[in-house]
Amino acid sequence: MTKKIIAEGVVHEVPEDLRKALVSNPDVLEKWNNLTLLARNEWICWTTIVKKPETRKEHIERLCAVLPIISVPILPYFMMRNLSSFLTYC
């Protein structure tokens, strides 16, 4: 089995639960590795800043659902605040 490379953020390392989600989906992993360092950092922050484990799980699921459909690197805060506009843009 080959080891999959998962790019890190500028400051933050990819947490284990996010790492497992990325490895389990090749399309998401490819998009993740093509994001800028700062964009990856923002996604990591958005995933880990929440207090409840169920919210964190939901953020990881949304990340995995959104990354394959975006055509440009977009930051999670912008996307979630403007979700209807974002979906129209994609």
Side-chain angles (χ1 to χ4, degrees):
M1 177 179 206
T2 60
K3 186 175 181 178
K4 297 189 180 188
I5 296 172
I6 300 173
E8 301 284 346
V10 175
V11 176
H12 304 292
E13 295 181 8
V14 177
E16 191 58 35
D17 51 353
L18 179 54
R19 183 178 300 279
K20 285 179 183 177
L22 293 171
V23 168
S24 70
N25 189 327
D27 293 334
V28 175
L29 180 59
E30 180 182 356
K31 278 284 195 167
W32 176 265
N33 285 336
N34 288 325
L35 291 174
T36 65
L37 287 168
L38 291 174
R40 283 193 300 267
N41 203 63
E42 289 295 319
W43 281 103
I44 293 167
C45 288
W46 180 73
T47 302
T48 59
I49 199 167
V50 297
K51 294 179 182 177
K52 295 181 180 179
E54 56 268 20
T55 306
R56 182 172 171 142
K57 183 178 181 223
E58 180 183 314
H59 279 206
I60 291 172
E61 289 170 356
R62 291 193 330 199
L63 178 147
C64 290
V66 169
L67 274 185
I69 64 171
I70 61 174
S71 55
V72 295
I74 194 163
L75 300 178
Y77 301 106
F78 171 81
M79 179 199 59
M80 292 309 161
R81 286 190 180 144
N82 303 292
L83 191 55
S84 60
S85 301
F86 168 75
L87 292 175
T88 302
Y89 177 76
C90 288

